[in-house]
Amino acid sequence: MICRTAALILLLGASVSADSADSISSRLQVHVPQTLFRPEGYDHREALFGVPPYGGSIAQSVYYAASDLCDPTVNTRGGYPIRAKDSSGKMEPWPTPYILMVDRGGCSFVQKVRNAQRSGAAGVIIADNTCLCSDKDCVSANGQDVCQPAEPIMADDGSGGDISIPSFLMFKVDADQIKAELQANHMVQIEMQWALPKPDDRVEYDLWTTPSDPVSKDFQKKFKPVAQALKDRAYFTPHMYIYDGIKSNCQGFDGENMCFNLCTNNGRYCATDPDNDLDHGISGQDVVKESLRRICIWKHYGEQDGIGTEWWEYVGEFMQRCDNPDYFANDDCAKDCYKHAKINADIIDRCMRDSGGLEKDSANTFLDLEMQAQVARGVVILPTAFVNTVALRGGLSVDTVFTAICNGYLDGTEPKICKQCTGCGDFDGCIANGRCSGGKGGGGVSVHTFMSSILVIVIVFGAAAFYHYRKTREEMREQVRGILAEYMPLEGDDGHIGSPMDFARRGGSEHLMS
């Protein structure tokens, strides 16, 4: 058991050493003061959490919190620049919207940004407090004995799913200049911008995940109608993340599998254990096998059109029927999913064998291609979605990916579904029907709903008014009848003294005076 645990640690450790998927699509610029403007922008690191406005930007005044912002109770009346005092005698709070600059250290990046978000910040700039070792001027100017070889990755600590604002890490030598301006009570305006390549009228998007990844399951359950609605205007490619067992030393010199049931092909292709129990439940080998199966399904049922309806159907069926320790590795369960997704089992089984299989100490063509692609793209965070080769940050959700795809088209070439459903209050209904019936802006109402509501209100108030009129009229008649009965006995032309109620009974059709 100790050997197996060591094998798992070895496998995970090898994966962390890979390069990050840091295809910088963002830009950081200072517009005010003009003396700090740089045509090429400022070097920075983009957080791997939060939801950036892809295709857009945030340009706002910056306020320096003058703290590490680790305390959930944020003093919005402190910091720099100094503001005027309000009627309470305290300095006015940071006027929203604003970008907040905070110092690095003391707690995680996620905690800082979460506290800034709660205070009302639209974006966050974290000022690094350590010089790069390559920046000799910074090291000598600050007299630091400790330096860092590279800027840290602003990774999610596992709790960043509630973060909705973007954040950057700014290098110390640059952040010090910004802080100096702010502490001198000078206004600074910064722009945080996110661009997506817009090469043509078709967008390409990828998803890197594993069959056992819990985070991407909800997305994979719900995205099929979006992929179908985008039709051939968006080309999807699913990728399965495979650990290189040879680089992870899972294959011994004699070809023996040193990582046991984490790997296939005598230690060549590996996956982590989903339930962290190497002796029971789903194994890494099971995950590799299911990964190869999904690759083959895509090759035969999705690669040609880039939509892959059958692939989405299979994944959905698998999560519903087989995604548990009892059936995950059950071939009969997989065949049942084939049947419901209208997939030919013989074609997929042949594809898995012809690519190299999973049993012998031999290479598998498709798994090798996946490992090469993940190294070339620099994928280490799972799940990761790419739109036009740009990694999307923050939580993986259907509307976030859809919005990014729609922002990836060449201007003026967006498909109709993008114009109809971006920002629609009833997103799912819009995708299903091809038009927005829930109003734009999330919480609005459509013209049809608004006019129907007005009509109902008019009918209700009209009926109430008519009822009130009839009731009032009857009450007035009763009052008249009472008055006539008490004070006005009348004599007819024939000398007969009629009942005073005769007039009232006739409904007032005769005059009281002739």
Side-chain angles (χ1 to χ4, degrees), residues 442-457:
V445 295
S446 65
V447 174
H448 178 269
T449 303
F450 177 76
M451 294 305 296
S452 298
S453 301
I454 293 295
L455 181 60
V456 170
I457 292 172

Side-chain angles (χ1 to χ4, degrees), residues 4-83:
R4 294 192 176 195
T5 304
L8 180 58
I9 295 173
L10 182 64
L11 179 61
L12 291 173
S15 70
V16 175
S17 65
D19 294 332
S20 171
D22 201 16
S23 174
I24 298 297
S25 61
S26 56
R27 178 181 174 86
L28 178 61
Q29 183 60 273
V30 177
H31 293 295
V32 179
Q34 182 65 27
T35 54
L36 294 181
F37 177 84
R38 293 181 183 175
E40 70 281 5
Y42 282 79
D43 288 333
H44 63 282
R45 290 292 178 266
E46 184 179 350
L48 301 183
F49 54 88
V51 184
Y54 290 104
S57 65
I58 299 174
Q60 298 294 340
S61 296
V62 181
Y63 291 90
Y64 174 45
S67 74
D68 55 21
L69 220 70
C70 292
D71 190 337
T73 304
V74 179
N75 180 19
T76 61
R77 294 179 179 271
Y80 299 93
I82 302 296
R83 281 93 61 206

Side-chain angles (χ1 to χ4, degrees), residues 274 343 358 367 416 460 483 488:
I343 290 173
L358 298 168
L367 297 182
K416 184 179 179 181
V460 170
I483 293 172
M488 299 181 64

Side-chain angles (χ1 to χ4, degrees), residues 383-444:
T384 296
F386 290 82
V387 174
N388 286 350
T389 72
V390 174
L392 303 187
R393 307 304 188 190
L396 182 67
S397 65
V398 172
D399 55 346
T400 298
V401 175
F402 175 76
T403 301
I405 290 173
C406 290
N407 286 328
Y409 290 100
L410 187 67
D411 293 340
T413 66
E414 304 88 349
K416 184 179 179 181
I417 196 70
C418 287
K419 299 176 182 178
Q420 291 284 347
C421 299
T422 300
C424 181
D426 181 16
F427 179 78
D428 293 338
C430 183
I431 292 297
N433 301 320
R435 60 184 180 85
C436 182
S437 59
K440 295 283 184 176

Side-chain angles (χ1 to χ4, degrees), residues 162-209:
D162 61 333
I163 305 298
S164 60
I165 63 173
S167 54
F168 291 162
L169 176 73
M170 197 173 194
F171 294 8
K172 176 176 171 56
V173 65
D174 299 325
D176 286 348
Q177 297 182 63
I178 305 297
K179 289 194 289 187
E181 287 288 331
L182 295 170
Q183 289 174 321
N185 296 319
H186 297 157
M187 184 55 66
V188 176
Q189 186 183 75
I190 281 181
E191 181 178 21
M192 305 167 71
Q193 186 179 38
W194 294 263
L196 283 174
K198 300 183 177 184
D200 49 35
D201 61 353
R202 190 181 81 162
V203 169
E204 297 179 0
Y205 64 110
D206 305 16
L207 174 65
W208 285 88
T209 184

